[in-house]
Amino acid sequence: MGKNKPRNRHKHYKVPAPGTSPGLYAIDDEALKPVIVLHTYNTKSYKKEELKNINNIDKLVENKDFNYWFDIKGLADPNIFETLYAKFDISRLVLEDITSSYQRPKLDEYDNDKYIFSVSRHLYLGEDDVLCNDQISFILSERTLITFQETYSDCFEPVRKRLEIGKGNIRIGGSSYLMYAIMDVIVDNYFTLLNFWGEELDAIEDRLYDHPDRRIMYDTQAIKRSLITIRKVAWPERDKLNDIIRTDSPLISDLTKTYMKDAYDHCIQIIDFIESLKEIASANIDMNLSITSNRMNEIMKVLTIISSIFIPLTFIAGIYGMNFSREDPATGKVMPDNMPELYSPHGYMWTWIVMGAIAVIQVIYFWRKGWFK
C-alpha cells in the first residue's frame, strides 16, 4: 500500500451499437486466442486432452457413459459460438452474454431444461495488487459442462486436481456437481481477497497511531472502492446460488443442491464480511480526518501562544523604534511631551527587563489556563 494507485481495473468493453438486434455478439478486439481442454471422466476413469477446435463437439460427447467438461479460455474465435449454435442449438442471446463479458452473476434456463446458462465473476489480485474482475460463463447440459473464460488466469486448478485424483463426489456427482465445485472455488476466493484487505486495514490503523499522513486516506479509499466492487458481485452471486437451489430443472441433481446450500451460506458470510470491512474503512477515514484536525488545532494553539507572547513585546519595540528626540535640533531646548525614557540611564537594559517580565507573566498565565497540556 501507499503507492497511491487505483486498486480496480476498469475495462472498456466492446458492446453492440444501440438499437442492434438482440443476439448479435461482438468479440472484443483484445480477446485472446482460445485454448480448449476437454476433460472426459466417469467414476472409474479420467482423460484430459487439448483440442484445436470444437467443430465435432456433437461426436465428442456421444458416449453416454462419460461426463464432459470443455474448458475454454479466450473468446477470439467466432467459430466456437457458431458451432454451439449449429450443433447444440444454443440461443444467440446466450452467445451474446458470453462475449459481452460485463454480465452480472445470474442463472437462465432455456428450451424446457435442455440446458442452463450461468455467469459468475472471478475476482483476483493482479500486478501491483490491482483488483481484476473477469467473467466466467457456464453452459450446463445433461452430461456436459462448457466453461468460458476471457483470460488465461483462473482459479480452476484445485477442481482439476480433484477431478484427476477422483476422490469425493467430483466424478460421481455429474456435470452439475462439477459446476458447483467451480462456483464454490470462485466464492471461496472472495474470502482470500477480504482477508487480504482486512490485514491491509489493520496495517493502516497502525499507521494512523504511529505516523498519520495523507496517503492513509488514499489507501483506505482504494480498499473501500474494491469492497464496493466485490459487494456488487457477491449480492447477485448469492441470488444466483439461491435460484440454483430452488430450481426444478432435472439438470441440477439433489446432491448438487445440497452442496450449493453451503456455497450460499459462504456468500452470506462474505456479504457480512464486506459490510464489516467497509465500516472499518470508514472508521479509518474518519479517524484520519480527526487526527489531522487535532494536529492542526495543536499547531494553531502553539502559534497562538507564540503570537500572544510577542504581540506586547512587538508593541513596546515599535514605540521605542520611532526615533523621537527630546531636544529641538535648532534651539537645543527640550521638546514637550516627547519620550524622556529614550535618554534614561540603562534604558536599553530596563527595556529588556520589562519585555522579559511581560513574557514570563504571560507564560505563567497560559500554563495556569492549561494551554500547554
Side-chain angles (χ1 to χ4, degrees), residues 13 29 41 90 102 113 116 157 159 176 237 248 250 255 283 313 315 358-359 366 368 372:
Y13 297 101
D29 296 333
Y41 65 96
I90 303 298
Y102 49 83
D113 300 325
I116 287 176
E157 192 58 32
V159 178
S176 65
E237 184 71 23
D248 295 327
L255 177 65
L313 307 185
F315 175 74
I358 293 174
F366 294 150
R368 289 186 175 181
F372 294 107

Side-chain angles (χ1 to χ4, degrees), residues 196-220:
F196 172 78
W197 290 323
E199 292 174 358
E200 290 289 316
L201 288 174
D202 290 341
I204 288 175
E205 189 171 355
D206 294 337
R207 287 164 55 193
L208 274 173
Y209 292 115
D210 296 338
H211 185 67
D213 56 64
R214 63 180 181 180
R215 290 179 300 176
I216 290 176
M217 179 76 73
Y218 303 144
D219 295 340
T220 305

Side-chain angles (χ1 to χ4, degrees), residues 81-307:
F81 307 105
E82 292 301 325
T83 301
L84 291 175
Y85 174 73
K87 297 192 175 184
F88 271 16
D89 197 24
I90 303 298
S91 171
R92 289 195 177 274
L93 293 175
V94 171
L95 302 179
E96 179 186 1
D97 287 347
I98 293 173
T99 56
S100 303
S101 52
Y102 49 83
Q103 304 295 319
R104 68 198 299 269
K106 64 176 182 176
L107 178 75
D108 294 330
E109 300 179 31
Y110 285 88
D111 295 342
N112 297 322
D113 300 325
K114 182 179 180 180
Y115 64 91
I116 287 176
F117 174 66
S118 181
V119 173
S120 291
R121 306 298 307 186
H122 173 40
L123 302 180
Y124 60 96
L125 295 178
E127 295 182 1
D128 297 327
D129 294 335
V130 174
L131 180 63
C132 302
N133 184 354
D134 295 338
Q135 176 173 309
I136 297 178
S137 305
F138 303 84
I139 296 178
L140 174 68
S141 60
E142 184 178 359
R143 292 174 294 104
T144 304
L145 176 66
I146 307 175
T147 58
F148 298 88
Q149 304 171 70
E150 52 183 324
T151 67
Y152 296 147
S153 299
D154 65 22
C155 56
F156 294 175
E157 192 58 32
V159 178
R160 297 189 186 99
K161 289 182 178 180
R162 288 166 55 193
L163 196 60
E164 183 177 357
I165 296 173
K167 291 184 178 181
N169 298 317
I170 193 71
R171 288 195 192 173
I172 65 176
S175 297
S176 65
Y177 187 88
L178 177 61
M179 184 178 71
Y180 149 74
I182 296 173
M183 290 181 178
D184 186 56
V185 172
I186 293 173
V187 171
D188 287 346
N189 273 346
Y190 298 165
F191 281 112
T192 303
L193 292 174
L194 294 177
N195 286 330
F196 172 78
W197 290 323
E199 292 174 358
E200 290 289 316
L201 288 174
D202 290 341
I204 288 175
E205 189 171 355
D206 294 337
R207 287 164 55 193
L208 274 173
Y209 292 115
D210 296 338
H211 185 67
D213 56 64
R214 63 180 181 180
R215 290 179 300 176
I216 290 176
M217 179 76 73
Y218 303 144
D219 295 340
T220 305
Q221 186 61 32
I223 293 176
K224 192 173 182 180
R225 190 177 178 187
S226 298
L227 292 173
I228 292 174
T229 299
I230 193 172
R231 185 182 65 175
K232 290 169 63 178
V233 171
W235 276 96
E237 184 71 23
R238 184 198 67 170
D239 295 338
K240 181 197 72 179
L241 294 175
N242 185 53
D243 291 340
I244 294 176
I245 294 171
R246 296 178 179 275
T247 183
D248 295 327
S249 173
L251 298 176
I252 307 294
S253 65
D254 292 337
L255 177 65
T256 300
K257 292 181 180 179
T258 300
Y259 283 93
M260 279 291 183
K261 293 177 182 178
D262 181 65
Y264 177 81
D265 291 339
H266 288 175
C267 238
I268 294 177
Q269 295 173 23
I270 286 168
I271 293 172
D272 292 340
F273 200 174
I274 292 170
E275 296 304 321
S276 298
L277 291 181
K278 281 189 61 184
E279 291 180 5
I280 294 174
S282 298
N284 281 352
I285 292 176
D286 293 341
M287 185 182 298
N288 182 63
L289 293 175
S290 178
I291 291 175
T292 303
S293 178
N294 289 337
R295 287 184 61 192
M296 182 62 66
N297 290 339
E298 291 295 324
I299 293 172
M300 293 303 298
K301 185 173 72 173
V302 171
L303 294 177
T304 301
I305 291 174
I306 295 174
S307 300

